[in-house]
Amino acid sequence: MESVSIALVDDHPLMLAGLVDLFKLNEDFTVAATGSKASDVLKINAEIRPDVFVVDVMMPGNIFEVIAKIVATSPKTKFLAFTALTRSDIAVRALNAGATGYVLKGSDAGELIQGVRAVHNGETFITPAFACKVIEELKISSLRKMASGTVKLSIREGQIVGMLMRGATNKQIAADLRIGEKTVKNYMTILMQKLHARNRLEVLIAAQKLEVDDHQDREPVLRH
């Protein structure tokens, strides 16, 4: 079986060296790159595009924005946050950005490896002893979003949402609206932000609540 390529990004040299040694001992993984700041993640992804990034959330730069940007354009790339922070709101922020794993640095090596394998397989993994706090925070975060009122979409965004609900691909949307596929992807990123969605599926789920009428010159509204 082909090994999982991983990139390790942490601004603590000793921690980073330890992580490299840990994964090099396991033949299931290949350490493709290392870094020490959020901007390194963008550079590594542009040059190598590893299967999984293992990143600390407390290092120079905004790692949450970087995760969201990469996940929006490279959905197959997975992120696992490996951090000493035990704040559930930070874990939720990482998950909302697009990470699918959150492992505390107090965990043993086996748990970290298990987490990397899980996110690579498309699963969500949170340090078990910390998971209940994160789930509770997710519920609170969801209630906050529900109470935040309505989300207004532009006419163009409403058109795209309507076409998504009819099963149109990005290419079909671009052709029908006479815009570039890159422009459609940009709109998708905006829609994910507005609808608090992490991927195309969640956009579609949120879109079911939208009042969309492509033929009327008005702004669709998402009612919670």
Side-chain angles (χ1 to χ4, degrees):
M1 185 174 65
E2 189 174 347
S3 64
V4 178
S5 64
I6 61 174
L8 307 168
V9 186
D10 195 301
D11 64 336
H12 295 283
L14 288 177
M15 175 62 71
L16 185 60
L19 289 173
V20 170
D21 289 342
L22 170 66
F23 284 100
K24 280 187 174 179
L25 288 173
N26 194 313
E27 62 183 14
D28 292 341
F29 302 98
T30 299
V31 179
T34 62
S36 60
K37 52 187 180 296
S39 59
D40 290 340
V41 176
L42 288 170
K43 183 178 180 182
I44 291 168
N45 189 65
E47 295 176 352
I48 301 172
R49 194 162 291 186
D51 296 319
V52 180
F53 276 98
V54 177
V55 299
D56 194 352
V57 296
M58 293 297 291
M59 57 182 173
N62 190 326
I63 189 61
F64 305 106
E65 287 185 1
V66 169
I67 292 173
K69 183 175 181 178
I70 291 176
V71 169
T73 56
S74 307
K76 290 185 179 180
T77 303
K78 307 300 182 183
F79 280 87
L80 180 143
F82 184 55
T83 179
L85 285 176
T86 57
R87 287 173 48 185
S88 55
D89 61 320
I90 296 296
V92 169
R93 188 177 176 189
L95 294 171
N96 284 339
T100 51
Y102 196 93
V103 176
L104 299 178
K105 285 186 175 178
S107 306
D108 60 37
E111 188 172 299
L112 176 59
I113 290 172
Q114 182 185 358
V116 173
R117 284 184 175 136
V119 299
H120 179 251
N121 291 329
E123 303 167 11
T124 298
F125 186 92
I126 302 171
T127 293
F130 186 53
C132 288
K133 285 180 66 178
V134 176
I135 291 170
E136 186 62 30
E137 182 65 30
L138 281 168
K139 291 179 181 178
I140 294 170
S141 177
S142 177
L143 289 173
R144 288 192 190 117
K145 290 174 185 176
M146 293 287 282
S148 65
T150 60
V151 177
K152 293 184 178 180
L153 304 183
S154 69
I155 294 170
R156 178 67 84 194
E157 290 163 358
Q159 291 173 334
I160 292 173
V161 166
M163 296 182 73
L164 284 173
M165 292 176 70
R166 293 193 293 273
T169 64
N170 284 0
K171 186 175 182 179
Q172 290 169 332
I173 293 172
D176 285 357
L177 298 180
R178 297 182 180 179
I179 57 178
E181 284 189 61
K182 185 176 181 180
T183 301
V184 175
K185 290 179 180 179
N186 290 338
Y187 274 116
M188 286 298 299
T189 299
I190 293 169
L191 283 168
M192 283 190 286
Q193 292 172 346
K194 284 190 173 184
L195 300 177
H196 307 293
R198 287 176 290 176
N199 51 50
R200 191 185 187 92
L201 177 60
E202 291 186 5
V203 169
L204 286 170
I205 292 171
Q208 292 177 2
K209 300 177 183 179
L210 283 170
E211 294 178 359
V212 178
D213 187 348
D214 293 347
H215 304 292
Q216 293 185 12
D217 187 9
R218 66 181 177 85
E219 289 186 332
V221 176
L222 171 63
R223 287 189 168 81
H224 297 296

